Amino acid sequence: MATVTLENLRKSYGPTEVIHGVDIDIADGEFIVIVGPSGCGKSTLLRMVAGLERVSAGEVRIDGTRVNDVEPMDRNIAMVFQNYALYPHMSVFENMAYGLKIAGTPKPEIAERVSDAARLLQLEDYLGRRPRELSGGQRQRVAMGRAIVRKPAVFLFDEPLSNLDAKLRVQMRLEIKQLQRRLGVTALYVTHDQVEAMTLADRMVVMNAGVADQIGAPLEVYARPQTAFVAGFIGSPPTNFVAAQLLRPGAPDGARLGVRPEHVRVVSPGEGALQARVMYAEPLGAETLVHLKLADDALFTLRQDGTAPVPEEGAEIGLAWDDDAQMLFGPDDRRLQG
Amino acid sequence: MTTPADPLAAEVPPKKPKAQPDGMVEKRGAGLWLTHLGLILGVLFIFFPIWLAFVASTVTQPEIVRPPMPLWPGDRFFENYGKALTSGINAPVALMLFNSAVMALGIALGKIVISLLSAFAIVYFRFPGRRVFFWLIFLTLMLPVEVRIVPTYEVAASFGMLNSYSGLIFPLIASATATFLFRQFFLTVPDELAEAARIDGARPMRFFWDILLPMSRTNIAALFVILFIYGWNQYLWPLLITTDPSMNTIVMGIKQMFPSGDDVADWPVIMATSILAMVPPIIVVISMQRLFIRGLVESEK
């Protein structure tokens, strides 16, 4: 159990900087999810905390101690990899025990800690098996077990669920959350899936092109995105953007207005803020997504309740929303008003 | 799918009920017999010279030289083989077998150890000149023993390694092929495995010993077979480096037994030696076959 602090953390490969100074303060026992599209540097950030990548500039502190030059094994962390990285020639027991064995833990204690972890993860019946004789979900559990038995101060997860099928992913997501709650260990979790981020995180970090665009509680980030990127990335379907001058003649050049699909209402043609033509509707049961085309050929999505009447294809409709639901972003994509 | 517990199961197709003759490759009746006949003829054709050698090693000298040559084994099996093993012609065959075994094992094990370590260095460590070293090793592939034999002989001679096991083994011990093979294998091992081991606290040599080595088991077995036979069959190098008959290896020893000038050849003993020279490689191949095949079947990492 520990705090983790990243201070102006930078990473460059040769002359190319890929992480441009990230500051995050992680409290003891907090579950932080780093989310972003592929190539945004989120995995690199995690690997710098793990000690697998060298820190180019800035500082990583675990429990207040600077660990920039400390080997991964001495950082008191454990990591779960996307492809699990289980040792193929070792049994489940040996996989989980390997770290302890190297640390010179006495055998009875190893056996006890591994069987505790196995009980927690319902792996007791599989301790003698090899990784290749396990299903994806079980391998995932073994990888977590390997992390748990070491009783680390910080858990690092590198997209641990992306190799699982959708159903298992939801189940494992819940298990990871429960496990982290029960053990109270600080966790840093990287994913590209915003649903995972929203459901798991105490606070989430939205990364964009090597910069942490916004750090905050999931609902806070959803409700008050600080940049156009965050508004577009968090929430599904993504936020609609229209040129701000269309609706507010006084707005600066290049400024955009964002409205979430779920905040838009259908009104009669001629009324509302915008006029649009219905292209097609996707009924999903509980909700219906309506894809629209604006006068300037821009696309617009609105989400309405599944029970609401679905507008016909080709119909002209008006779009309206409450003033406090719209978000104004300046030409630099930063949020201008609350 | 075969179960991992028994990879050889793939070799033996399950018996199909006669009622459903499906499957594209299934041959029945005359076709089956013809294929077998062809294969048996092929085996006999290849095996015949070895059979003749075996027959010759069990009869007396006059019986061999008097045409027609006998086609069935005689009654001198124990006598001829006993004579070959204990006294031979220049040196006892038992001694030459031992020399060959030392040389072949030394070369095979030495090559495996050295190439494992150098491949490990090249794949897992970033050091200056890493690529240069790799290409230097790779280049030596183009220089077989025969090309560099004179300078190598010079070096071995000035180190005083003539007529010694070290002289037989060390000049042949570096292997570009094996290094290259292990390098390719190590490159297929996921990086995450090395990283997981690092986080688990394994230092590089520990990772090598605990994880990389067990994972390369089947590759090592396959290479051992190939390299053992390579070492066993060395002819030119032992011929140069050993002048003392007690250091002869068996493959060159057979040639040394041939008569020169007016000597009378003791063909039954020579043939017995040839047969004996074939036995160890066959034992190695058969005993390593299981691991060898598992290396081919087991693709999952």
Side-chain angles (χ1 to χ4, degrees):
Chain A
M1 270 146 265
T3 61
V4 178
T5 310
L6 311 185
E7 198 179 288
N8 194 24
L9 200 61
R10 285 166 193 275
K11 174 74 192 175
S12 3
Y13 294 104
T16 335
E17 194 174 71
V18 292
I19 295 195
H20 313 287
V22 170
D23 295 274
I24 307 175
D25 261 311
I26 303 171
D28 186 14
E30 203 174 14
F31 200 123
I32 295 280
V33 177
I34 304 175
V35 63
S38 49
C40 70
K42 55 190 190 300
S43 281
T44 312
L45 195 69
L46 189 80
R47 292 164 57 83
M48 283 198 282
V49 177
L52 296 171
E53 294 276 355
R54 195 166 278 283
V55 174
S56 303
E59 219 167 72
V60 179
R61 286 196 293 271
I62 295 179
D63 238 359
T65 323
R66 182 190 141 100
V67 293
N68 281 23
D69 305 311
V70 177
E71 278 289 306
M73 61 198 91
D74 303 321
R75 290 188 181 196
N76 204 7
I77 49 144
M79 186 154 168
V80 177
F81 293 87
Q82 181 177 354
N83 65 2
Y84 322 132
L86 301 176
Y87 310 124
H89 59 286
M90 294 187 192
S91 68
V92 168
F93 180 91
E94 289 166 324
N95 260 289
M96 303 214 295
Y98 187 58
L100 297 176
K101 200 174 120 198
I102 290 178
T105 316
K107 278 213 169 115
E109 196 191 332
I110 295 183
E112 195 191 314
R113 276 159 79 165
V114 171
S115 70
D116 280 352
R119 195 169 329 113
L120 202 62
L121 295 162
Q122 294 146 32
L123 281 172
E124 287 155 303
D125 297 339
Y126 305 102
L127 284 176
R129 294 213 195 163
R130 295 284 167 89
R132 77 166 95 74
E133 297 158 0
L134 301 176
S135 69
Q138 289 163 342
R139 287 182 206 187
Q140 176 62 55
R141 284 208 184 91
V142 177
M144 304 233 302
R146 189 167 65 178
I148 291 171
V149 291
R150 302 186 51 216
K151 299 191 176 162
V154 184
F155 275 142
L156 305 175
F157 296 93
D158 189 3
E159 309 214 11
L161 303 183
S162 11
N163 283 3
L164 299 178
D165 61 60
K167 207 171 165 189
L168 208 52
R169 207 177 302 163
V170 175
Q171 184 196 337
M172 288 305 290
R173 200 166 73 200
L174 287 171
E175 285 186 23
I176 288 181
K177 180 81 175 172
Q178 282 173 3
L179 204 65
Q180 193 266 349
R181 281 272 174 282
R182 183 157 4 152
L183 301 172
V185 177
T186 314
L188 204 55
Y189 185 109
V190 160
T191 178
H192 60 264
D193 180 351
Q194 52 131 341
V195 180
E196 256 172 51
M198 297 288 285
T199 49
L200 282 173
D202 291 328
R203 281 193 301 156
M204 63 201 264
V205 179
V206 186
M207 292 274 296
N208 175 28
V211 176
D213 261 19
Q214 189 169 358
I215 303 175
L219 289 177
E220 163 80 17
V221 172
Y222 169 82
R224 274 181 284 280
Q226 291 306 303
T227 68
F229 172 81
V230 175
F233 192 77
I234 301 297
S236 171
T239 301
N240 298 297
F241 291 102
V242 290
Q245 282 169 333
L246 220 61
L247 299 168
R248 286 193 191 181
D253 251 359
R256 292 186 294 168
L257 267 180
V259 191
R260 293 201 179 273
E262 50 270 41
H263 295 148
V264 182
R265 291 189 310 273
V266 179
V267 292
S268 323
E271 291 173 28
L274 280 174
Q275 303 304 309
R277 195 158 43 83
V278 178
M279 288 169 64
Y280 53 91
E282 290 178 304
L284 300 175
E287 63 195 34
T288 306
L289 303 181
V290 186
H291 297 272
L292 310 157
K293 205 170 230 179
L294 301 180
D296 59 353
D297 270 358
L299 297 178
F300 200 96
T301 311
L302 87 82
R303 180 167 139 180
Q304 60 179 26
D305 200 79
T307 55
V310 178
E312 261 179 63
E313 281 181 29
E316 297 285 336
I317 56 168
L319 302 172
W321 54 83
D322 298 336
D323 268 353
D324 57 359
Q326 71 184 15
M327 308 170 278
L328 182 63
F329 298 97
D332 60 350
D333 280 348
R334 298 238 143 242
R335 185 81 180 262
L336 288 181
Q337 112 303 338
Chain B
M1 264 304 286
T2 54
T3 57
D6 188 9
L8 285 173
E11 304 282 285
V12 190
K15 276 181 199 150
K16 284 195 181 123
K18 289 246 159 154
Q20 336 172 280
D22 59 347
M24 294 202 300
V25 281
E26 190 171 6
K27 289 218 173 77
R28 308 177 67 205
L32 185 74
W33 287 106
L34 269 177
T35 339
H36 272 81
L37 191 70
L39 289 173
I40 289 167
L41 278 177
V43 168
L44 285 180
F45 183 72
I46 290 169
F47 189 69
F48 186 63
I50 300 174
W51 174 251
L52 272 191
F54 176 70
V55 168
S57 71
T58 57
V59 295
T60 58
Q61 169 79 3
E63 278 177 286
I64 293 181
V65 291
R66 187 181 58 230
M69 227 194 125
L71 286 179
W72 297 106
D75 54 357
R76 308 284 294 250
F77 178 86
F78 291 105
E79 198 181 328
N80 287 342
Y81 279 80
K83 191 176 167 200
L85 278 173
T86 51
S87 60
I89 290 175
N90 300 314
V93 172
L95 182 64
M96 293 200 285
L97 279 172
F98 176 76
N99 290 344
S100 271
V102 170
M103 179 180 180
L105 283 174
I107 289 177
L109 296 176
K111 269 178 188 276
I112 285 172
V113 169
I114 290 176
S115 47
L116 265 172
L117 286 171
S118 42
F120 179 56
I122 285 171
V123 174
Y124 285 96
F125 294 87
R126 318 232 169 288
F127 53 90
R130 173 162 157 263
R131 289 182 72 86
V132 177
F133 279 110
F134 171 69
W135 285 110
L136 279 179
I137 293 173
F138 196 66
L139 273 177
T140 61
L141 267 179
M142 298 177 206
L143 301 172
V145 179
E146 290 75 13
V147 174
R148 55 186 164 88
I149 202 151
V150 175
T152 312
Y153 180 84
E154 272 294 318
V155 174
S158 31
F159 273 117
M161 293 206 273
L162 299 181
N163 285 318
S164 71
Y165 289 127
S166 47
L168 282 172
I169 294 169
F170 288 137
L172 301 179
I173 210 170
S175 174
T177 326
T179 309
F180 189 68
L181 227 116
F182 282 125
R183 171 186 179 265
Q184 296 310 96
F185 171 69
F186 289 169
L187 287 177
T188 67
V189 174
D191 288 344
E192 282 87 352
L193 225 51
E195 288 170 352
R198 254 179 97 186
I199 288 178
D200 267 343
R203 310 268 163 196
M205 282 321 286
R206 183 94 198 227
F207 166 70
F208 175 76
W209 193 254
D210 282 355
I211 291 160
L212 223 42
L213 210 58
M215 283 179 72
S216 333
R217 212 177 53 236
T218 49
N219 291 45
I220 293 174
L223 260 177
F224 178 81
V225 172
I226 294 165
L227 295 177
F228 180 86
I229 290 169
Y230 165 86
W232 187 267
N233 288 344
Q234 279 301 315
Y235 173 69
L236 191 57
W237 183 250
L239 195 65
L240 272 181
I241 204 93
T242 65
T243 46
D244 180 355
S246 71
M247 286 303 294
N248 282 1
T249 62
I250 186 124
V251 174
M252 61 166 290
I254 294 171
K255 179 72 178 70
Q256 303 289 72
M257 287 176 168
F258 283 15
S260 54
D262 293 337
D263 292 351
V264 178
D266 193 351
W267 287 112
V269 173
I270 297 178
M271 287 302 156
T273 311
S274 305
I275 296 291
L276 284 170
M278 267 184 269
V279 173
I282 291 174
I283 292 175
V284 167
V285 169
I286 290 176
S287 58
M288 300 292 254
Q289 198 183 21
R290 258 191 94 86
L291 267 175
F292 204 89
I293 289 171
R294 200 188 315 168
L296 304 176
V297 175
E298 208 172 72
S299 58
E300 212 173 347
K301 291 215 171 62

